[in-house]
Amino acid sequence: MLVAGGAYSYTVYKSLKSAVDTMHQPIERKQSEKRPEPVAFKEKDPFSILMLGVDERSGDKGRSDTIIVLTVNPNNNSVKMLSIPRDTRTEITGKGTEDKINHAYAFGGIPMAMDTVENSLDIPIDYYMKVNMEGFKDIVDAVGGVTVQNDLGFTQDRFHFTKGQLNLNGEKALSYTRMRHEDPRGDFGRQTRQRQIIQGIIKEGASIASLTNFSDIFTVLGKNVKTNLAFDQMIDIQKNYKEAGQNIQQMEIKEQGTKINKIYYGLVSPEEKQRVQNELKAQLELN
């Protein structure tokens, strides 16, 4: 039994390392002035990750229609998950213009998206994770589906989603996250559903049952996720931050929709921006 257990553990480790090596995509970006010293995972430093859900398109970079900032604090054992509406009007760092925040990725890829979000929130953005949304359904299927609590009945892509608890496979989960026109909350409702699915993936991926399906999970992640986190860093996160992942708190930015030169934008008041920045700074222990 010991030999078999050791062989299984080695197989899991080898498969994970191979997947992470495929996912690992470093970027050229200067050390942030908001983070004078690099994050030390072994010292349990709080850190942030920018998660971008990108619809890959042939011939261009695609659009980052899902923008989520995760701030992880192992000292209070929590993760704050902030959705940033894609139409939020902000300065595009490195371009010198104000535009929709999701255009930063189209203009300058991951580095410009990270810099723009960092300056908008006034916190360091330490790492990124880019998810191919077309492969998102494969990730959900790999963890065996997800369970969500739906607060609005609606139909999207021929699927009808009733109110209450739903068990979703990958195809339904992708449709569930894409609906916004039938939701009176618009993009804010869609952001809530996106966060629900991500929380479901984290929960199912950390379950004992997922260990029997590790090969499929790692293969799908390797194909559809890119990040500048290296294998050793992920191992340190697993060791030192595991409890924080069990307490995910959702955050939203309140905006006022308006049109400027016939283009729709979401405007954030100075008071609302300050509120969000203060909460994130406290989570990262920057105050």
Side-chain angles (χ1 to χ4, degrees):
M1 289 178 63
L2 288 173
V3 171
Y8 178 76
S9 297
Y10 175 74
T11 302
V12 173
Y13 177 89
K14 187 176 180 181
S15 181
L16 172 61
K17 189 174 190 311
S18 176
V20 173
D21 287 345
T22 302
M23 292 162 56
H24 188 224
Q25 186 171 294
I27 56 172
E28 291 187 10
R29 185 171 179 254
K30 295 188 301 182
Q31 180 72 30
S32 170
E33 294 179 357
K34 303 180 191 301
R35 176 77 73 187
E37 298 293 331
V39 173
F41 292 122
K42 292 182 179 179
E43 300 297 325
K44 296 188 175 182
D45 288 346
F47 68 97
S48 64
I49 297 178
L50 173 63
M51 181 181 295
L52 298 173
V54 177
D55 281 321
E56 302 282 4
R57 296 178 172 191
S58 137
D60 66 24
K61 295 178 180 177
R63 299 173 299 169
S64 58
D65 283 345
T66 300
I67 306 171
I68 295 175
V69 175
L70 301 172
T71 51
V72 186
N73 189 322
N75 301 315
N76 62 20
N77 285 329
S78 73
V79 177
K80 288 189 182 288
M81 182 185 294
L82 171 70
S83 293
I84 303 178
R86 61 182 182 175
D87 295 327
T88 302
R89 185 175 173 87
T90 191
E91 180 184 345
I92 305 299
T93 304
K95 198 164 180 66
T97 59
E98 288 199 344
D99 207 330
K100 296 184 179 185
I101 196 166
N102 73 329
H103 287 184
Y105 177 80
F107 291 145
I110 296 293
M112 187 171 286
M114 292 178 74
D115 290 344
T116 296
V117 172
E118 177 172 286
N119 288 327
S120 178
L121 297 178
D122 196 30
I123 62 169
I125 297 297
D126 301 306
Y127 300 97
Y128 83 89
M129 185 172 292
K130 184 180 81 168
V131 181
N132 173 17
M133 294 305 290
E134 281 303 315
F136 189 69
K137 58 181 180 290
D138 297 329
I139 297 174
V140 173
D141 284 335
V143 300
V146 296
T147 300
V148 299
Q149 193 68 31
N150 183 28
D151 62 0
L152 176 71
F154 64 90
T155 300
Q156 174 75 16
D157 301 331
R158 81 180 184 279
F159 298 118
H160 182 68
F161 299 94
T162 58
K163 289 180 66 174
Q165 183 171 295
L166 302 176
N167 299 310
L168 304 176
N169 63 14
E171 190 175 9
K172 289 182 179 179
L174 185 59
S175 293
Y176 182 77
T177 62
R178 281 183 164 164
M179 193 283 283
R180 66 182 178 127
H181 294 298
E182 288 187 43
D183 195 323
R185 299 163 296 183
D187 206 39
F188 289 102
R190 185 178 71 154
Q191 292 163 32
T192 299
R193 288 185 286 278
Q194 290 171 346
R195 293 195 301 269
Q196 285 180 324
I197 298 298
I198 291 169
Q199 284 185 254
I201 290 172
I202 293 172
K203 180 180 178 181
E204 295 298 331
S207 70
I208 297 296
S210 69
L211 289 177
T212 61
N213 197 35
F214 72 88
S215 181
D216 288 346
I217 294 173
F218 294 159
T219 298
V220 168
L221 289 176
K223 287 181 179 178
N224 295 292
V225 177
K226 298 299 178 186
T227 180
N228 56 342
L229 282 165
F231 178 74
D232 291 344
Q233 291 173 315
M234 290 190 183
I235 295 298
D236 286 338
I237 291 172
Q238 170 64 15
K239 286 179 181 177
N240 299 316
Y241 298 76
K242 183 163 54 177
E243 297 300 321
Q246 298 175 14
N247 179 21
I248 299 177
Q249 302 167 10
Q250 299 192 12
M251 293 178 60
E252 288 184 348
I253 298 177
K254 296 176 182 177
E255 299 186 343
Q256 180 66 46
T258 189
K259 285 190 175 181
I260 300 175
N261 296 327
K262 299 182 179 180
I263 299 174
Y264 178 86
Y265 295 96
L267 302 184
V268 184
S269 70
E271 295 79 13
E272 174 68 0
K273 179 179 283 191
Q274 191 66 60
R275 179 192 69 81
V276 172
Q277 290 176 351
N278 289 344
E279 188 170 344
L280 293 177
K281 287 177 181 179
Q283 175 73 353
L284 292 173
E285 299 181 3
L286 298 174
N287 292 336

